[in-house]
Each structure stands twice: as C-alpha cells, then as structure tokens.
Amino acid sequence: MVDFTRRQVLSKSVAAALGASVIGVASGEEVDESDTPGAPSVKGELKRFSTTAFGAEVTGPFVFQNGSLLYSLQHPEAENPEPFDTAGIGYFSGFQFELDGTNDDFDELSTPQTEAEQRQVRSGNGDYTIFAHGRDEINGGEERLGVTQTPDGTDITLDNFEGTQYGAAGTNPDCNQFVPTDEDGTEGYLFTNWENSPGNVSRIPLRQTRDGEWEADLEDAINLANTEPFREIGGTRINCYGDLSPWGTMISSEENYAHPRVSLTNQVGDIVDAGTGKGRIGGCQFWNRPNPTGIQSAVDDYYGDEAWSIQGYWALDGVEFLAYYLGAEQSDQNSNSNSTEPISDTYPNPYRYGYHVDFREPTADPPQPVKYYVMGRASWEAPNIQADEQTVYMCSDGDSKGIYKFVADEVIPEYDDPMEVSGTLYAPKITNPQADASTVGTRKSPAEYSLDIEWIPLGSASNAEIEEWIAEYDDITQSDYLRAHAESDWVEDREAALEEADREVIENGNQNYITNEEIVEWADQYYAEGPDNVDEKLRRVPFLETRAAAKEIGASIEFNKAEGVDSKDGAGPGDPVYFGISEFNDDLANDSGDIQMDRVDGGVVYRGVLESDYNISTLEPVIVGPDFTDEPEDADDALRNVDNVYVMDDGRVLCCEDGFGGPARSYPNDGLYVYEPEPEEESERNENGGNDNNGNGNGNNGNGNGNNGNNGNGNGNNGNGNGNNGNS
C-alpha cells in the first residue's frame, strides 16, 4: 500500500534533522501509550536481510528458481543518491537463497543509522542491482515503463492533463511475478504491477547470463495497460500485489480503496434506519461526482463542525485520468471550487474496478486479461490461489476491511472460457470468545490468542453473470450525477447544482448505482431464505458491493490493513498459509464487533493450516510487531507493519515492511525480513493438517455457513493520498 501523505509529513520533519547525520529518530509521542503482552515476539526466527532506501516501501518480492531474490524500489525520495532516487526493479547480485529451510544462508544486516546508510538499499549479502527504472523508455521508444497512455498514445501524466492522479505515473512498482519460458527458469517474462490510477502492469523480457546476472530487455518490454485487450476490460486501478497462479500466470490485484460505501464501522442499514447518510457515507458514492476528491472539502464546507471523514474519498484520485485512458475528452477538473466542467462523453463504471486480474497466455502478444468478478470487489492487496486450483484466500487492505475466501465449482483453468468460472464467495466470522472483550471481560493480547473462523457464504454466481450485471451500469457519466440528484440547471449554475447533488447523495445515496435499499433488502432476504434464494436482481449485491453486504449480515469485517497472504507453491493439507495484518488497531481494538483485543500498531502475521478440503479454520499469531511506544531496543529488530508476505519453496517467509518513518525505531527505513518457522511446529502441522475441523468452508458442499449463514482519511492532492492508520 502507498501511504503518501504520512511519508510527505515525515519527510519534511526528517529533513530538519539531517544535520544530526541520522534521518530522524522515531518517537512514541504520535500514538497512545500501550504495553501489549507479547509485542513484539516471534515463534521461530526473524532475521533482517535488507533495508530499502529512504522513502521507499519494500514491495514485490520474488525468488527465482536458482534462489536469486528480486524486489521493487517503490517511490523512494528523489533526494536519495543515484540510482536510489527513482523507482525501480532490482535483484541482489551475487546472492542466492540455498532454499534449505534455514536462515544460515545469509548474514544478519545491521540497522541503518547514518544518512548514507539510510539513503540506499542495503543487504546482508549481495548488491542490489536495478535493471529497470520507472519511466525508462521501452517498446522501441513508444512507451515509458509504468506510464499509461490514452488511446492516441499520449502519456497520462499531470504534465499533459488537469485533474488528480493516484501517485505519480511510473513511481510505484509493486508485485513482481516471473513466468519462465525455459525449464531452468533462466529466461522468461517479468510481470510488474504499477500502483497508480489508471493502473498498469508491465511485461519485461528477462534472462540470466552465464555469470548468473539478470538482464532486462527494455526494447521489447511493454505496458499491458496500453494494449487493446487491457483497454477493452476498462483498464485497472491501483494494481498492488498479486500471485503466481498454479497454472503459471500473473494474477494482479486492484487495490481499489475508493470502494467503501459506508465509513469505518457503519452499515448501510444504519443509513436506511436514520434516513440519512450524514456521518456515515463512504467515498464510493461520489465516484461520478465532478471533481470527485473535492467531496471532502465540500462536506467540510456544507456541514462545518458536523462534518465527518469520508472513508476512501482520497482514492478517487485518478478517476478522471481513467476516463481519459478510456478516450474521454479532457474537462476542467482542477478547480478548487464546485464549478468544474463535468465529463459527459466517456466515464468508467465503478463496478469494473476492484478485482483480481489473470493474464491468460502470458507469452502471447499481448496477453489477454480476465477479471475474476466472481471473487468479489474490494481493495485487494493480494490473493493466494491454492494447489487445488479452486480455493482462493484474499486480503482487502484498509481500515475495517476483510479477509475473504472463494471456492470455485470446478478447477479454474479447466473452464474453456474464463468468463464461465463459477463458485461461492465467503466472508469470515470470528467465533472464539477470547477475541471479544465484551464476552470475556478483559482484552486479550493478539500475541497470545488465535482467531477461530467460520466462513459465511455471501452468494454464488459465474463470472459471465456478474459481467452482465456490471454492464447495466456502463455509460454513467459525471453529468448523470448532476441530472439524477440536482433540481437546479447544472449548465446554468453548476456550483449550486453540485451542492444540491452532493447533499441529495448524502441523504439518500447515489441513485445511479445499487441503492441502499437494495442492499438492505438483500440482507433481509438472506436472513429469511439463505444466500441462494434471494431475488434474482439482488444476487449481484455481494459481488458488486462485497464489503457492504458482508457487514450487513454480521461478518467480521474488522481487519485493519490486511496486506498479505501466501503459501508455498504446491501447498496442500497440513501446510501453512500466512496472513499479514499491517496494523492491529482501530476496528480490531475498539469496543464493538467480534474482535476486541489489545492494539498492536506494528501488526501481526497469522498462520493458518490447510485442512483436507483446503479450508482454514484458525489463524495463529506467529509474528507480532512492536507497540509504537516501545523503546528502540525492542522495536529496532522487530517486524513493523508487514506488507507483502512471500513463502519460499523451503517454507521460509519473506516479510516486507510498509511502516516508513513510524515511531518506536531509531531509524525510518522499511526492511525485508526472513522468517524461519520453528521446526517442531512444522512437524506438528504435518501430523494434524488432515483434520478439517467439521469441514467449515467447503465451497463444493456449501458448508461455509457457521451459525450465521441462514440466520444469521486523507488528502488526495495530485494523487498523494493519505492512508494514515489504514483509514483508507
């Protein structure tokens, strides 16, 4: 996840401290005092391999067949020395993991303390070597790496267009997946996500030389976003992490933070009961508003002291640019007032964004992308597709979000047409009393108690069915926002019409899309008849409004910044799946919901074990980050704000950090750690892994229903959105 505003603020404060030769000293003054038992702690060994350059996250780890390690240098500060001053993709020359299951194959890296150390990529072994920088010329000079273009070939940047942009184009490389074209894994294509809006995925031919180095062929590299098949599916938004599928293709995830319909812990039913969305409505309802990110300042003006934070509004950055990507004519979208010119010819359909994208036939020119609408719509950080090629675990990033499961009716690659993929989407219900302070009387530490899960089925459908539902909302523009919600003539008095429309949407919802009443009616029918017996028109609700639907039927949509999920290739019953929760706070540590535990701002890595049917029913904490009021001697070597997790073939886990500049540590850099599980625990899991614990969550039998199935903030200025504390 990119957390721009927090980085900018910290960067300014750090700059003032450079005279001390250390780029900032972290402090616990920014957060409430906390002293959670077991924070930090590790079940096994955690060893630092690398720290990244100042301002950058560690993203997109990938381990090649020979043990070489690669990751992305995402949005480093421009004041770093070359080559660490611009975004790039690089590997550690001269180093390979031995893949023997132990951390003896590399040296522990010291913490970075001097300015010189903090402004470069460092490692315990090998030299970080960048083979491609964002905005490098590619494809014979026709494109720049990571930069999307309009249909006529114009780069979509703030140099060429007015409006907002989610992150500067070509600065946010994230997920990397290598698809080999030879048996030795020394030649192939590297697919890289670019976390922007419009989104992008690049494909770079990559080969290993005889002396073991890696070479990129930028002349033949392409931006898949600029190909016709990609544009035909509407493009993408905010491509974050992903997965290499068991059938050998890149899966790219859209981290569409703009999807929240309600803010934080609210439910749609609360709005319907109150007769107003005031104080509750989320950012997605303003998708087709002229100057969409202007809604927060507008609400501040309209309501004064009664204004509220609209969750996800900042991620509406770049929606206008997405319209230009699809071929819209440019309108005035850079005004600070409520009088911008609406886009009236071509505009993106919000229900086409927030999915996992599979690049079938990855070596074709170009590959054909397919979105798995059937897996639900969210701010997806990552999926993890299991070896049964039917079960998928997924993490949605941000505040008060979820982890989800999908189970296909048949093996996914065996569908002749990917649009025919069908199955059941599930949301979690946390059931153990220890997770709920209102049940046990006192808060428990997340380091000391596991989370028990029952999977609630939300609904079943096929990819093709959902695409038909989505198509009903095509061709809705910014002009339609004004036509549907304002009485004033927006041509004559645009500012008055926009305020009328905003207030109407706040009161009664955006009538251009699925209504609040439809979501509540779906939930009522779900309770009365079960997920498979709702009215045909309402079957779309859990797939197009996944988070709102799951909240409405009592699922545990309480996770804060679920940023990673992975298992080793070929994992089966008895093997672990790791889930990274970047911050264990906010809705996980408040006084409502199914999870009411002690807060750990540094986050938690959970381990689930695959049962005989690939279900997971328990999440065990194995790595717990620091409290942000811990002393540096406790926090310096602890995992802080885990982002991507990557399980190597030998069972070790690469843990990437996204906590740049936060408190507790004596240094601001994010790092990459290698987690080695305890051997005896690995043995116990293999002995006990076949037990399916009542079989909860088996999508083929529909037994994902616990007791509930049938009853049961930021500033988006020019794309620099704020995910402070995960309040996306």
Side-chain angles (χ1 to χ4, degrees), residues 510-726:
N510 190 324
Q511 300 303 304
N512 294 136
Y513 304 110
I514 292 173
T515 67
N516 293 331
E517 289 73 19
E518 286 175 311
I519 294 173
V520 171
E521 177 61 21
W522 170 82
D524 289 343
Q525 291 187 20
Y526 181 105
Y527 281 124
E529 304 293 340
D532 296 329
N533 297 303
V534 300
D535 290 348
E536 180 64 25
K537 184 175 176 57
L538 298 177
R539 289 180 57 223
R540 68 190 64 193
V541 168
F543 296 98
L544 304 189
E545 296 283 0
T546 303
R547 176 178 180 259
K551 288 164 72 77
E552 206 64 25
I553 60 167
S556 304
I557 307 303
E558 302 174 37
F559 290 90
N560 191 19
K561 295 171 63 63
E563 294 209 49
V565 55
D566 199 30
S567 57
K568 69 180 182 180
D569 291 346
D575 287 323
V577 178
Y578 292 89
F579 295 78
I581 309 301
S582 186
E583 296 179 8
F584 198 99
N585 51 25
D586 293 356
D587 208 8
L588 294 168
N590 62 9
D591 295 324
S592 63
D594 298 322
I595 308 174
Q596 301 177 36
M597 304 183 80
D598 283 340
R599 66 185 291 142
V600 178
D601 292 299
V604 178
V605 175
Y606 284 100
R607 178 172 58 207
V609 177
L610 292 171
E611 297 160 5
S612 60
D613 58 358
Y614 288 85
N615 183 53
I616 290 174
S617 58
T618 301
L619 296 180
E620 171 198 9
V622 293
I623 307 174
V624 180
D627 291 322
F628 277 178
T629 51
D630 286 343
E631 297 298 323
E633 54 263 32
D634 295 322
D636 272 0
D637 297 319
L639 181 66
R640 179 185 63 179
N641 301 123
V642 64
D643 192 337
N644 302 157
V645 292
Y646 180 99
V647 184
M648 294 193 287
D649 289 343
D650 64 2
R652 286 182 291 170
V653 186
L654 303 182
C655 298
C656 304
E657 290 183 322
D658 173 18
F660 172 79
R665 282 183 178 167
S666 64
Y667 61 94
N669 305 74
D670 286 338
L672 182 145
Y673 287 78
V674 185
Y675 169 64
E676 179 186 335
E678 293 180 344
E680 61 271 19
E681 294 188 0
E682 183 75 30
S683 175
E684 290 174 7
R685 286 196 302 278
N686 288 331
E687 291 175 4
N688 299 324
N691 181 2
D692 67 359
N693 269 358
N694 299 323
N696 290 323
N698 183 338
N700 292 329
N701 296 324
N703 297 325
N705 172 18
N707 294 321
N708 286 7
N710 293 322
N711 301 309
N713 301 337
N715 183 349
N717 184 30
N718 287 339
N720 296 329
N722 176 18
N724 187 30
N725 289 329

Side-chain angles (χ1 to χ4, degrees), residues 448-464:
E448 298 174 349
Y449 292 91
S450 299
L451 300 177
D452 294 338
I453 301 178
E454 292 178 357
W455 295 99
I456 304 173
L458 296 177
S460 302
S462 73
N463 226 28

Side-chain angles (χ1 to χ4, degrees), residues 60-62 64 70 72 89 131 145 173-181 188-194 200-206 222-224 230 240-244 248-252 357-369:
F62 185 84
F64 293 93
L70 169 153
S72 296
I89 310 162
F131 53 70
L145 185 63
D174 202 301
C175 178
N176 296 288
Q177 300 292 347
F178 181 69
V179 177
T181 55
Y189 291 102
L190 182 71
F191 290 77
T192 301
N193 281 344
W194 296 85
N200 203 347
V201 180
S202 61
R203 189 185 72 175
I204 304 173
L206 204 63
I222 59 174
N223 291 312
L224 299 181
F230 203 100
C240 193
Y241 199 49
D243 194 20
L244 188 66
T249 61
M250 161 69 157
I251 308 289
S252 176
V357 190
D358 190 355
F359 289 91
R360 294 298 184 97
E361 300 182 11
T363 62
D365 290 316
Q368 176 64 53

Side-chain angles (χ1 to χ4, degrees), residues 62-81:
F62 185 84
V63 177
F64 293 93
Q65 195 169 313
N66 74 336
S68 297
L69 170 65
L70 169 153
Y71 73 63
S72 296
L73 179 64
Q74 188 182 81
H75 58 69
E77 187 172 86
E79 294 180 7
N80 293 339

Side-chain angles (χ1 to χ4, degrees), residues 134-154:
R135 305 193 184 191
D136 279 348
E137 285 192 358
I138 61 172
N139 194 14
E142 295 294 318
E143 304 177 82
R144 291 189 292 162
L145 185 63
V147 180
T148 54
Q149 296 177 335
T150 62
D152 67 3
T154 303

